Amino acid sequence: MSDSAIPTVPRLIVETHPVDDVKLLIPLIDPRHPLVWLRKGQGMAGIGEALRLEFGGPGRMLEACAAWKDVVASARVTDPVKLPGSGLIAFGTFAFADDSAATSTLIVPRVVIGKRDGRFWVTKVRVEGSDEPLPTAMTRPLGPEYRLTLLPGEVSADGFRASVDAAVERIAAQELDKVVLARDLVGHLPAGADLRRPLTDLALGYPDCWTYAVDGFVGSSPETLVRVSHGTVSARVLAGTTARGADAQADHDQAVALATSPKDLDEHGFAVTSVLAALRPHSRSLTTSEVPFTLKLPNLWHLASDVEGVLSDGSTSLDLIAALHPTAAVAGTPTATALQVIRELEPFDRGRYAGPVGWVGADGDGEWAVALRSAQVDEAGDITAYAGCGIVADSDAEREYLETKMKFRPIVEAFG
């Protein structure tokens, strides 16, 4: 059972209609409470809240799935556009841990502006019986620039290195094969800060990543947890990381070293295995490459593998995030032991970091990322950012600390 009861859902009246060219999405959203899902300039931006559903505890994702089906069943939807993201959708973000104090939520905006494959649309959502006027989708200039410094939170650099050493000892004792450990940075926004500024920096600086903002949780993730579209399922698994080189030759050498690193290949193999195991009950035709490829991002290289298949049981994207989370890429192997080690070695609640973030449509299709390169901004303007790395038998504490510094870079630069 969850910590929160599922409320009785109101009936939503949803109308989508095509519009002319939409240049940019981020300037349209609320500066203080942004809702956005964006990659390569395409995606959706939301304004306001027609409906908010909140969940907690071990069953939070399955309860969200059941609640969303109730919302869809009662809604009246007109959608001539019929593209992924048009019609009735909810943006969502889920806590990493079953016992997290962070709220998991699905939010249906009052207005959604979307762009995909050269087509553009606006969706308007009313609650039956309500005559509250809809917000206007209009471009607003970004607020004043600001710069802030994120400082160590509950975990110091030395504390993180000590946790890595402790994890390696437990792996050497054969308690587990891999565990993912994270550390935190904290800061505070100036009064009235416009969150669209860091989101713009993330979207422009990391166009191949999923740039997201849901309920104060912002970031730009390179890892697709799952995408469901018309009966097909896909995922992108990332595990194994190294820095970019200072010049072309050094960059090439870094990529080759990563692709041939036994430590990183082992870490990546655990992550791929966990995703395949979670998806096999839902698909009889999963495929993935035998050898991972190197994925180039502006600040680092990742080992990556794509998984694809055809769904055989009618699962929705919410069903599949429940089946997949947490993968070995963000928890470890075996999962239960890794989660226990995380509880013992991490002195903080991860909140929504490394949980699923994305969107779901009325048909259950959707796109969900692993919430990496992220920061949570609360109503008081306090920011908490997280970064972690996979620890295996031959991990080195200093190298893992430096890896977290690389992974913090998108958020640190976006806010700083």
Side-chain angles (χ1 to χ4, degrees):
M1 295 296 292
S2 75
D3 300 329
S4 55
I6 299 175
T8 302
V9 297
R11 189 182 191 204
L12 301 180
I13 312 301
V14 182
E15 296 180 352
T16 295
H17 56 89
V19 296
D20 293 334
D21 189 7
V22 177
K23 298 297 184 186
L24 298 171
L25 292 176
I26 290 177
L28 300 170
I29 59 181
D30 190 315
R32 298 296 302 278
H33 302 99
L35 279 169
V36 72
W37 178 259
L38 190 64
R39 183 172 180 262
K40 295 182 177 179
Q42 299 193 116
M44 298 85 71
I47 306 171
E49 290 186 10
L51 177 66
R52 168 187 285 258
L53 299 173
E54 296 185 345
F55 312 92
R60 60 198 178 283
M61 295 171 208
L62 291 177
E63 288 181 2
C65 186
W68 183 241
K69 289 177 180 177
D70 289 343
V71 171
V72 171
S74 68
R76 190 178 77 206
V77 181
T78 303
D79 176 21
V81 174
K82 297 189 184 305
L83 283 174
S86 67
L88 173 61
I89 68 165
F91 293 82
T93 176
F94 289 86
F96 174 82
D98 291 349
D99 58 355
S100 175
T103 301
S104 299
T105 186
L106 291 177
I107 297 172
V108 178
R110 302 193 68 213
V111 174
V112 178
I113 308 96
K115 54 189 301 186
R116 190 179 293 263
D117 300 331
R119 297 175 64 188
F120 313 90
W121 68 90
V122 171
T123 299
K124 298 180 179 180
V125 183
R126 294 186 296 109
V127 177
E128 188 176 56
S130 171
D131 57 3
E132 184 178 357
L134 289 167
T136 302
M138 58 183 291
T139 298
R140 288 176 283 181
L142 300 183
E145 290 188 21
Y146 54 89
R147 293 288 182 265
L148 55 91
T149 300
L150 297 179
L151 301 173
E154 295 191 54
V155 179
S156 66
D158 286 343
F160 181 76
R161 294 185 190 100
S163 295
V164 172
D165 286 337
V168 171
E169 289 179 5
R170 298 180 72 159
I171 292 169
Q174 299 186 331
E175 292 182 35
L176 71 168
D177 297 311
K178 173 189 173 182
V179 63
V180 179
L181 295 179
R183 64 185 183 97
D184 59 334
L185 297 178
V186 296
H188 186 79
L189 284 174
D194 190 335
L195 283 177
R196 297 176 303 168
R197 281 201 169 275
L199 284 170
T200 298
D201 287 347
L202 290 169
L204 292 175
Y206 299 86
D208 291 322
C209 296
W210 299 109
T211 294
Y212 56 86
V214 185
D215 200 33
F217 189 53
V218 301
S220 200
S221 175
E223 184 163 3
T224 304
L225 179 63
V226 71
R227 178 192 287 133
V228 176
S229 178
H230 303 296
T232 64
V233 59
S234 60
R236 171 161 287 182
V237 185
L238 303 183
T241 307
T242 195
R244 296 287 305 276
D247 54 42
Q249 184 59 51
D251 202 34
H252 174 266
D253 292 345
Q254 287 286 87
V256 171
L258 177 65
T260 56
S261 162
K263 179 263 182 189
D264 291 291
L265 288 168
D266 284 349
E267 181 186 340
H268 188 82
F270 290 133
V272 173
T273 297
S274 75
V275 168
L276 291 173
L279 289 179
R280 277 195 185 101
H282 308 280
S283 174
R284 292 190 294 269
S285 60
L286 289 177
T287 60
T288 188
S289 58
E290 292 185 12
V291 178
F293 61 92
T294 50
L295 176 68
K296 182 169 66 174
L297 295 177
N299 62 322
L300 49 78
W301 288 97
H302 276 304
L303 286 182
S305 293
D306 288 333
V307 177
E308 298 179 348
V310 176
L311 290 171
S312 55
D313 63 354
S315 293
T316 69
S317 63
L318 288 172
D319 290 315
L320 294 181
I321 65 171
L324 283 160
H325 179 78
T327 70
V330 292
T333 305
T335 303
T337 306
L339 291 174
Q340 181 58 40
V341 172
I342 290 170
R343 283 190 288 269
E344 294 173 12
L345 297 182
E346 283 184 6
F348 54 79
D349 182 341
R350 287 185 177 187
R352 295 155 170 173
Y353 164 69
V357 62
W359 66 273
V360 61
D363 56 4
D365 288 1
E367 296 168 324
W368 295 86
V370 181
L372 307 174
R373 319 299 190 261
S374 64
Q376 181 69 53
V377 182
D378 68 17
E379 286 295 327
D382 291 323
I383 304 172
T384 307
Y386 303 92
C389 45
I391 312 304
V392 292
D394 54 355
S395 288
D396 173 76
E398 180 61 19
R399 178 185 170 186
E400 303 300 342
Y401 170 72
L402 293 175
E403 182 175 319
T404 64
K405 288 190 71 173
M406 286 191 296
K407 291 177 175 178
F408 270 127
R409 180 178 152 189
I411 288 294
V412 167
E413 292 183 348
F415 281 97

